[in-house]
């Protein structure tokens, strides 16, 4: 089942690629004075609707309905109530859709349609924008809409006031992928275009294009390596470690390529990182920091850098709000957000334990390892161990099903997280005695 994510990411990349000319067109039109703000919102909204219909077909309704429901909630509730109800509504709707996937995969034993998988991915991104917007309203960062729906204003006036919300929730550069863009940044970018010219850099695009090309070439090699070798069901003893590492490597390359493409699309539309930000505005954060992800020897740092905008969103939505066990709450919610497949529940809870162990292990090491040869040896060993633990978690999450999880847990690969679990137990016990 882990290959399902790889299969549907390529159609998503195809649709993202077809959106590039429209993103550049939007950027160029915004550099003229004859393209007012309302027209810009309509362009982004119409592009999002067209892209949703092209990529999802009739399943696009599953994205349109919660977007409409969110705007109704924003206009119906007070600022302090919006976030709670928007969160419950969006997560309930997304969970129902994920249950449809469970029914298809586990009860009917049929492969789900690619369009439905794309819809679920888009719904997860919509959940990010809905909760980010509702939190901004609750915290006073965004001015709440008027609650007086029954006022004498005409329907067209109400729709005009709601247009920025619809445009933000369904704008085409962020519909199928891309780093989370806050509503503040979205508004600043839409309203802040000037006549100095389109806001994109040719050299930045060229560099990202070369990176994507290089990643695609590596993916071809890794795909051949994975397909030519044994799987977890056929591997023997230490060979299973190589199978896990190569399969996880293919997953990571796919995500890196997809994230770079998403980032390029946002930059092409004028929402990228190379442009300035307004005071108090949440900064742009690209999802891929490949060098840091591949060189870090700390699982906690890998966690913060993996899909960075999502990590920041989870920290704000769950971790900072949690009073008891915020780390566990964050990873448990992440499993819920991803669909609550057995492998995902196990993988994210295992990830939480590994992060907790990482903090204690490195705190202890920094106190007792002084010489640079020992520090070099320590960093080398912990780097290898970190990469193997991440590969283990990735195969659990991407495998999803109980059968895939059983094969993974019964392989030699389970030694790596078990080592950290033992160290967590011993160091936590030592810390308790010291306290």
């Amino acid at each position: 089942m882990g290959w399902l994510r790889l299969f549907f990411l390529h159609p998503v990349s195809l649709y993202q690629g077809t959106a590039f000319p429209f993103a550049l067109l939007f950027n160029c039109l915004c550099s003229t004075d004859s393209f007012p703000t309302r027209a810009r919102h309509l362009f982004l909204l119409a592009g999002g609707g067209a892209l949703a219909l092209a990529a999802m077909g009739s399943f696009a309704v599953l994205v349109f309905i919660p977007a409409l429901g969110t705007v109704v909630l924003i206009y119906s509730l007070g600022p302090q109530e919006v976030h709670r109800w928007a969160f419950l509504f969006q997560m309930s709707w997304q969970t129902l859709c994920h249950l449809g996937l469970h029914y298809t995969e586990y009860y009917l034993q049929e492969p789900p349609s690619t369009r439905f998988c794309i819809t679920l991915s888009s719904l997860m991104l919509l959940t990010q924008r809905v909760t980010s917007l509702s939190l901004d309203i609750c915290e006073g960062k965004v001015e709440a809409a008027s609650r007086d729906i029954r006022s004498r204003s005409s329907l067209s006036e109400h729709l005009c006031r709601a247009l920025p919300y619809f445009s933000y929730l369904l704008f085409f550069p962020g519909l199928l992928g891309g780093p989370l863009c806050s509503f503040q940044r979205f508004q600043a970018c839409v309203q802040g275009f000037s006549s100095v010219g389109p806001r994109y850099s040719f050299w930045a695009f060229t560099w990202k294009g070369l990176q994507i090309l290089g990643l695609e070439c590596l993916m071809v090699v890794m795909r051949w390596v994975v397909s030519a070798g044994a799987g977890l069901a056929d591997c023997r003893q230490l060979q299973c470690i190589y199978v896990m590492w190569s399969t996880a490597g293919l997953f990571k390359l796919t995500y890196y390529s997809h994230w770079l493409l998403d980032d390029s699309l946002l930059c092409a539309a004028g929402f990228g990182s190379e442009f300035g930000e307004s005071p108090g505005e949440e900064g742009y954060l690209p999802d891929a920091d490949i060098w840091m992800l591949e060189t870090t020897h700390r699982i906690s740092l890998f966690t913060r850098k993996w899909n960075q905008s999502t990590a920041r969103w989870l920290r704000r939505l769950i971790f900072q709000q949690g009073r008891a066990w915020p780390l566990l709450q964050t990873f448990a919610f992440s499993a819920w957000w991803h669909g609550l497949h057995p492998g995902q529940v196990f993988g994210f809870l295992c990830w939480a334990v590994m992060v907790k162990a990482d903090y204690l292990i490195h705190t202890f090491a920094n106190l007792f390892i002084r010489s640079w040869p020992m520090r070099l040896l320590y960093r080398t060993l912990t780097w290898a161990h970190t990469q193997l633990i991440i590969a283990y978690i990735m195969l659990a999450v991407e495998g999803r099903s109980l059968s895939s999880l059983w094969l993974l847990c019964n392989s030699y690969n389970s030694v790596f997280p078990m080592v950290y679990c033992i160290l967590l137990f011993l160091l936590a016990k030592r810390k308790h005695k010291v306290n």
Side-chain angles (χ1 to χ4, degrees):
M1 296 306 300
W3 294 102
L4 180 63
R5 187 71 60 88
L6 285 180
F7 283 141
F8 91 76
L9 278 179
H10 284 289
V12 168
S13 299
L14 176 63
Y15 288 116
Q16 292 285 74
T18 58
F20 256 92
F22 299 98
L24 291 172
L25 175 61
F26 173 76
N27 204 336
C28 292
L29 288 173
C30 288
S31 65
T32 66
D33 296 329
S34 58
F35 199 51
T37 301
R38 186 176 299 175
R40 297 172 187 180
H41 282 299
L42 286 171
F43 188 101
L44 292 170
L45 178 58
L51 183 61
L53 291 172
M56 308 170 205
S58 58
F59 291 118
V61 176
L62 298 177
V63 175
F64 296 153
I65 290 175
L68 176 62
T70 298
V71 176
V72 171
L73 287 174
I74 290 173
Y75 270 83
S76 304
L77 301 173
Q80 299 305 315
E81 300 172 312
V82 166
H83 175 62
R84 179 179 60 186
W85 288 105
F87 175 86
L88 290 174
F89 170 71
Q90 182 64 28
M91 284 305 300
S92 298
W93 182 267
Q94 183 183 302
T95 302
L96 286 174
C97 294
H98 269 126
L99 288 175
L101 180 63
H102 282 249
Y103 176 76
T104 302
E105 288 186 341
Y106 302 128
Y107 184 77
L108 298 180
Q109 298 288 313
E110 296 176 357
S113 83
T114 302
R115 289 183 182 273
F116 185 61
C117 290
I118 293 174
T119 303
L120 285 177
S121 178
S122 183
L123 266 177
M124 292 169 67
L125 295 170
L126 178 63
T127 298
Q128 289 188 333
R129 293 192 294 277
V130 166
T131 52
S132 175
L133 173 58
S134 62
L135 264 178
D136 284 342
I137 293 174
C138 184
E139 295 172 359
K141 295 179 180 179
V142 173
E143 186 178 353
S146 172
R147 296 178 60 186
D148 191 10
I149 296 179
R150 298 180 181 179
S151 65
R152 296 182 180 180
S153 301
S154 64
L155 178 61
S156 61
E157 291 176 339
H158 282 301
L159 290 176
C160 287
R161 286 199 293 268
L163 180 59
Y165 297 122
F166 282 117
S167 178
Y168 171 66
L169 295 175
L170 297 173
F171 78 120
F172 72 90
L175 185 71
L176 300 180
L180 174 62
C181 177
S182 69
F183 184 75
Q184 290 171 285
R185 180 179 179 82
F186 173 80
Q187 283 286 75
C189 288
V190 171
Q191 297 172 358
F193 284 91
S194 64
S195 58
V196 298
R199 304 205 300 184
Y200 61 84
S201 167
F202 172 78
W203 295 113
F205 282 158
T206 303
W207 172 237
K208 286 178 181 177
L210 290 174
Q211 286 179 299
I212 293 171
L213 181 61
L215 288 171
E216 290 293 329
C217 292
L218 285 175
M219 282 171 57
V220 171
V221 175
M222 289 299 294
R223 193 176 289 112
W224 176 81
V225 169
V226 171
S227 61
L232 278 178
D234 308 316
C235 64
R236 293 291 180 269
Q237 300 177 353
L238 296 179
Q239 184 189 17
C240 294
I241 300 174
Y242 172 76
V243 171
M244 179 184 71
W245 174 83
S246 58
T247 306
L250 180 56
F251 281 125
K252 288 199 287 187
L253 288 172
T254 303
Y255 277 109
Y256 294 159
S257 177
H258 189 66
W259 289 339
L260 285 174
L261 180 61
D262 295 341
D263 184 47
S264 300
L265 181 60
L266 281 172
C267 289
F271 298 94
S273 57
E274 62 266 30
F275 310 113
E277 284 142 9
S278 302
E281 177 190 326
E282 191 177 66
Y284 180 88
L285 191 64
D287 284 328
D289 187 348
I290 300 175
W291 175 257
M292 185 64 71
L293 289 170
E294 294 300 321
T295 58
T296 182
H297 69 296
R298 299 204 56 171
I299 294 176
S300 55
L301 182 58
F302 184 98
T303 303
R304 291 193 295 271
K305 294 297 181 180
W306 177 263
N307 201 351
Q308 291 185 92
S309 65
T310 297
R312 181 169 65 179
W313 168 70
L314 287 169
R315 185 163 56 250
R316 182 190 180 200
L317 181 69
I318 305 297
F319 188 85
Q320 293 177 354
Q321 310 294 328
R323 297 180 180 178
W325 303 91
L327 182 68
L328 183 61
Q329 286 186 42
T330 302
F331 281 96
F333 173 79
S334 188
W336 180 21
W337 181 61
H338 279 83
L340 286 176
H341 293 268
Q344 292 171 342
V345 174
F346 173 83
F348 283 110
L349 293 181
C350 176
W351 200 341
V353 174
M354 295 300 102
V355 170
K356 185 66 175 178
D358 178 83
Y359 285 130
L360 289 177
I361 290 168
H362 290 287
T363 300
F364 178 83
N366 289 334
L367 291 174
F368 292 96
I369 300 178
R370 299 295 185 181
S371 63
W372 71 265
M374 289 301 296
R375 281 191 172 274
L376 180 61
L377 177 62
Y378 164 74
R379 288 181 69 94
T380 303
L381 292 176
T382 50
W383 170 81
H385 206 94
T386 294
Q387 295 300 319
L388 289 169
I389 287 176
I390 292 299
Y392 184 88
I393 293 170
M394 192 166 291
L395 259 67
V397 171
E398 297 295 341
R400 302 197 303 183
S401 66
L402 275 173
S403 57
S404 298
L405 182 60
W406 180 255
L407 290 173
L408 180 65
C409 291
N410 279 331
S411 68
Y412 273 46
N413 298 310
S414 295
V415 170
F416 302 111
M418 282 301 299
V419 169
Y420 263 39
C421 286
I422 293 171
L423 289 174
L424 172 63
F425 175 76
L426 295 176
L427 292 177
K429 193 174 181 180
R430 178 189 177 92
K431 182 181 178 182
H432 179 72
K433 284 183 178 180
V434 171
N435 291 337

